[in-house]
Amino acid sequence: MAPRPPSRYLERARLLESLDAAVAAGRGVVLVSAPAGSGKSTLINGWLETRGAGVGWLQVDEADDDPSRFWAYVAAALAEMVPGLPDFIRASIGDGPDAAAAGVINQVAHRAGDVVLVIDDYHLITSEDVHRSVEQLVTLRPDNLTVVLSTRVDPPFRLGRLRVRDQLTEVRADDLRFDQAEASWLLDAAATGLGPEAVNLLHERTEGWAAGLVLAGLSMRDGTDVDGFVEAFHGDDQLVADYLTDEFLDSVDDLERQRLLDVSVLGRLSGPLIDEVCGVDDGTEWLARLAASNQLVTSLDRTGTWFRFHHLLRDLLRLEAARKIPERLPGLHLAAASWHRDHDAMFAAIEHYIDGGDLVTAGDLIAVHATALLNDGQVFTVLRLLDRLGDLPERHSRSALVRGWINLSTGRFAGARHYYGVAAEHDDGTDANLTASLGIMVHLAEGALGDALSIAGRMVEPTESTQAIGLVAAHTWAGMFDEARRYVAIARELGGSEPSDYALTMAPGFAAVIELESGNRSVAAEHAAASVEHAHGHGVAESPQLSMAHAVEARTVPDPDRRAAAADRAVELARRAPEPFTLGYVLALVGDAACERDDPAGAQLLREARQMIDRCPDPGIVGAALARIEARHGLAGRAAAPTGLVEEITERELAVLRYLPSQLSQREIANELYVSLNTVKTHCKAIYRKLDVDGRQAAVHTARHHGLL
């Protein structure tokens, strides 16, 4: 929603007519680029008042630097004119910000009528991904969309291209400077007793800068010696600072000054919020009076509910508050945090808890909302909040868990293991299942299936889809398909109620693997199709684990073109996988299909899978499947089918066997069991002989088949 114009608004006809003419001529990208206090937002707001188009206004703040968050807010700003756009963007953002920009372009293009999108304070955006996607929007915008960017500095776009194509309308600082007649109105010369010469001098001193003129006008409303003030006023940045900190604050009574300093901790102002922070009951009335008398207080909506200080006033009030009331600032922030939390404004609540020094509560809130944010693609938002916690994640289980999951999903396995260790050490039981789930995924990433299963065995029934998916993965790769099927059903149920599109995509993907390995090809194909279908349109199509469903399709669909496309997509996604089981399995299936059609790439894919699996202490069903495929194509001398026990395994041998799925060396196993290295070696030889295998991996697979692990 576009903000409400200020109570005193000057219609600057020369600029409005120029903007109308430029846009009518097809120059529908409007760049308003000028320093703070130049009147950018006021000009745009006034111009939009004269136009009949629907308007979406996005007021950018520092937290909008996250691509997913940015495009979600763009969609929300345009939702009234383009119904359904927020849902569309939410579904497509998983494919990247460029896909979100394309979605806005296409959705607006299919709407009848003109649409204006204003992005105010665009200079706060630093993300290259956001810049690239917004440049795509302005370059490819449909004819019925006008994009207005208000910024203090030019965005890093190829503006020259837009100029050459005659698509760009530019309004700069020189254009925004007030002329003498406009300055006279802004200074309210008749009310303040300013004569033409004084107006001209102030206009000259401020160089037509809106903020300087506004401040000059404010300072002359309290009986100031007008002539003396005009002589002393220079209208530069230092004057503004001096005025706000000395003259403006000194001109109000102590209670008013106190309240201004108190509310300076707030980014956005509303009456009820002011009541909570300041402990008063007249916040709404006070804010309305302030906005009516001070043009440095800007409306954020048309209902008179939300306002903000002009950046110049906000920054200097905060400096003054830090100087005069530092001991009160934490309490003010915590009061604001509590209000925002009660009103479900969690981002603002977290920021205020951090500024108020309550890092633990901030860390807890980040953890509570991290899953939804990460599922929504807002990784940068979560990381920014975590960075503000300092070293808290080194001793706080819940924020450590979030760090661990992000490290895992981005392939930083050492970091994931570190934060899993922190979470496990400091967990008081509140997040035991989530900690265990991270542990499962860390061990799977390291190829240690036995360790992952050990953790899974200690978990209670999952209460979140993330936990269920971890259990599905561990039991699937271990070949424990009955348990895996049960957790697939739980993951689907939890994923539907949360909701989690990731779980609703991955659960049938794992089900496809389970059924394919169980010999149920048609059922596997159905699960794979369901996984791929749900991924598209729900922001999960680029997930590495979706490669499993594509790989199963490459082995089951009848159409050769679809099989080939599924195989290519499976390998593309699998190479991003954070653990060797997914990658090894996909390479094995796709390599198998390639070898069947005598494609030489098949053997290379199988060799790559073998290199991956040979690094796993316990490769589970992936090792067995790969061995069967290699044997079928003459690429290996043995299959991995388990045989019967040659001889019963003793209790002492069984004690050693239980350590074989781990990453421990034989010497480390000996230390764990308090026996000699030679004893462990002797037991291993006996285990291999009795299981009729020739190595540790095969022993683990066969022992699990016989229920010994």
Side-chain angles (χ1 to χ4, degrees):
M1 180 183 292
R4 187 170 59 182
S7 55
R8 290 189 74 243
Y9 168 68
L10 172 65
E11 185 174 293
R12 307 180 71 184
R14 60 186 176 87
L15 291 176
L16 302 184
E17 292 170 1
S18 174
L19 284 171
D20 282 336
V23 172
R27 295 190 290 278
V29 180
V30 180
L31 176 64
V32 185
S33 181
S38 298
K40 300 184 292 296
S41 300
T42 302
L43 171 70
I44 296 168
N45 204 340
W47 175 55
L48 295 176
E49 285 282 297
T50 68
R51 298 180 61 82
V55 177
W57 188 295
L58 172 57
Q59 181 67 54
V60 175
D61 62 33
E62 288 86 348
D64 298 336
D65 214 21
D66 185 305
S68 296
R69 183 180 173 91
F70 176 86
W71 284 106
Y73 282 144
V74 168
L78 294 172
E80 186 175 336
M81 288 75 66
V82 191
L85 182 60
D87 290 338
F88 185 89
I89 295 302
R90 193 177 301 113
S92 64
I93 193 61
D95 296 331
D98 292 350
V104 171
I105 292 168
N106 293 330
Q107 294 289 305
V108 172
H110 287 92
R111 178 196 180 275
D114 292 336
V115 175
V116 177
L117 171 63
V118 179
I119 306 178
D120 199 8
D121 286 338
Y122 188 78
H123 55 271
L124 295 175
I125 296 296
T126 62
S127 166
E128 292 183 4
D129 288 336
V130 174
H131 286 318
R132 185 187 66 252
S133 53
V134 173
E135 182 173 13
Q136 177 183 342
L137 173 69
V138 301
T139 301
L140 302 177
R141 66 173 185 85
D143 291 339
N144 64 328
L145 174 64
T146 299
V147 180
V148 182
L149 299 177
S150 176
T151 177
R152 296 183 191 176
V153 295
D154 284 0
F157 301 165
R158 290 165 290 187
L159 297 176
R161 174 187 291 187
L162 294 173
R163 293 185 184 108
V164 168
R165 295 177 178 177
D166 200 26
Q167 296 176 337
L168 182 65
T169 300
E170 298 179 74
V171 179
R172 300 198 170 271
D174 286 345
D175 303 309
L176 289 167
R177 297 188 191 283
F178 280 58
D179 61 24
Q180 291 184 4
E182 293 168 335
S184 179
W185 180 91
L186 195 60
L187 290 164
D188 202 4
T192 56
L194 283 177
E197 291 185 4
V199 169
N200 291 343
L201 184 57
L202 284 173
H203 176 261
E204 179 183 334
R205 293 270 175 86
T206 60
E207 297 182 356
W209 181 44
L213 289 165
V214 167
L215 292 172
L218 286 173
S219 67
M220 291 185 291
R221 291 181 181 177
D222 57 359
T224 301
D225 174 6
V226 173
D227 292 335
F229 177 82
V230 171
E231 285 297 326
F233 192 92
H234 292 285
D236 56 13
D237 290 341
Q238 186 57 51
L239 182 282
V240 172
D242 292 343
Y243 168 77
L244 288 173
T245 54
D246 297 331
E247 297 186 41
F248 174 64
L249 288 177
D250 287 344
S251 70
V252 299
D253 62 39
D254 290 343
L255 288 177
E256 183 81 352
R257 179 189 182 97
Q258 185 64 58
R259 188 175 296 192
L260 286 167
L261 296 184
D262 286 351
V263 301
S264 70
V265 303
L266 304 174
R268 300 186 179 201
L269 310 170
S270 76
L273 176 55
I274 291 171
D275 289 345
E276 177 73 18
V277 171
C278 299
V280 297
D281 60 7
D282 65 341
T284 299
E285 294 79 8
W286 177 82
L287 185 56
R289 289 196 306 272
L290 182 67
S293 63
N294 191 329
Q295 289 190 343
L296 295 182
V297 179
T298 304
S299 168
L300 292 175
D301 57 38
R302 293 183 176 271
T303 63
T305 303
W306 287 96
F307 295 82
R308 68 171 173 84
F309 287 129
H310 189 284
H311 302 303
L312 294 170
L313 179 57
R314 179 202 63 190
D315 293 347
L316 287 159
L317 284 174
R318 289 181 178 179
L319 286 172
E320 183 72 0
R323 186 167 67 92
K324 291 294 183 64
I325 57 167
E327 73 288 347
R328 298 189 63 237
L329 294 180
L332 295 169
H333 278 295
L334 293 179
S338 177
W339 188 91
H340 282 106
R341 186 175 185 175
D342 290 343
H343 290 79
D344 295 323
M346 289 303 163
F347 286 108
I350 291 168
E351 297 278 9
H352 281 296
Y353 276 121
I354 293 171
D355 289 332
D358 189 352
L359 298 183
V360 171
T361 300
D364 287 342
L365 282 179
I366 292 170
V368 167
H369 296 279
T371 298
L373 290 171
L374 294 174
N375 286 343
D376 202 32
Q378 295 193 42
V379 178
F380 296 108
T381 294
V382 178
L383 285 174
R384 184 183 64 81
L385 294 172
L386 287 172
D387 287 343
R388 294 207 62 204
L389 297 178
D391 64 352
L392 181 72
E394 298 296 331
R395 60 184 185 279
H396 179 247
S397 173
R398 305 190 79 179
S399 55
L401 277 174
V402 180
R403 280 278 190 200
W405 280 109
I406 292 176
N407 275 279
L408 180 75
S409 65
T410 54
R412 297 176 175 87
F413 300 139
R417 170 166 276 285
H418 168 75
Y419 285 110
Y420 163 62
V422 173
E425 178 183 354
H426 295 279
D427 190 0
D428 60 2
T430 304
D431 299 297
N433 256 18
L434 193 57
T435 302
S437 299
L438 177 60
I440 287 173
M441 301 310 293
V442 166
H443 287 304
L444 289 180
E446 295 171 341
L449 179 56
D451 292 335
L453 279 175
S454 178
I455 294 176
R458 299 194 297 270
M459 288 178 65
V460 299
E461 199 75 350
T463 56
E464 295 181 0
S465 63
T466 301
Q467 303 164 14
I469 289 295
L471 289 165
V472 169
H475 289 94
T476 297
W477 299 131
M480 303 168 70
F481 293 152
D482 288 342
E483 280 293 285
R485 287 187 180 97
R486 187 172 78 85
Y487 289 124
V488 164
I490 293 173
R492 280 176 154 162
E493 180 180 354
L494 292 172
S497 62
E498 290 170 355
S500 168
D501 288 316
Y502 179 82
L504 293 174
T505 296
M506 296 311 144
F510 276 108
V513 173
I514 293 167
E515 299 308 328
L516 185 66
E517 290 302 306
S518 300
N520 304 318
R521 291 176 62 86
S522 61
V523 179
E526 291 173 5
H527 285 306
S531 178
V532 171
E533 181 179 355
H534 190 86
H536 291 284
H538 290 89
V540 200
E542 297 299 313
S543 174
Q545 285 77 21
L546 186 61
S547 60
M548 296 183 296
H550 286 297
V552 171
E553 285 195 326
R555 300 299 292 125
T556 57
V557 296
D559 178 40
D561 291 336
R562 280 189 59 199
R563 286 201 304 271
D568 290 342
R569 184 64 170 151
V571 173
E572 176 191 356
L573 291 177
R575 294 197 190 283
R576 310 174 194 169
E579 41 84 11
F581 295 98
T582 298
L583 178 56
Y585 188 73
V586 168
L587 293 177
L589 288 191
V590 176
D592 187 20
C595 286
E596 285 184 355
R597 62 178 185 269
D598 296 323
D599 184 343
Q604 176 57 40
L605 290 172
L606 295 179
R607 282 192 292 271
E608 185 180 347
R610 171 55 60 192
Q611 292 173 353
M612 179 68 59
I613 290 306
D614 281 347
R615 293 198 294 269
C616 296
D618 179 0
I621 65 165
V622 182
L626 177 60
R628 289 196 306 270
I629 293 169
E630 290 171 328
R632 187 162 61 248
H633 296 295
L635 298 174
R638 58 179 175 82
T643 60
L645 287 176
V646 174
E647 183 181 337
E648 290 295 322
I649 293 178
T650 68
E651 285 296 323
R652 291 185 177 181
E653 291 164 351
L654 188 59
V656 174
L657 175 61
R658 292 189 180 114
Y659 281 96
L660 295 188
S662 73
Q663 299 182 82
L664 298 178
S665 67
Q666 289 186 339
R667 184 178 299 280
E668 289 169 330
I669 294 173
N671 292 337
E672 290 288 321
L673 295 174
Y674 299 101
V675 298
S676 70
L677 175 59
N678 284 335
T679 298
V680 171
K681 288 181 177 179
T682 299
H683 287 328
C684 284
K685 289 179 181 178
I687 291 168
Y688 300 162
R689 176 179 58 79
K690 293 178 180 182
L691 293 177
D692 192 24
V693 297
D694 59 2
R696 184 167 175 170
Q697 283 188 349
V700 169
H701 174 68
T702 303
R704 186 168 288 122
H705 174 78
H706 288 295
L708 298 173
L709 290 174

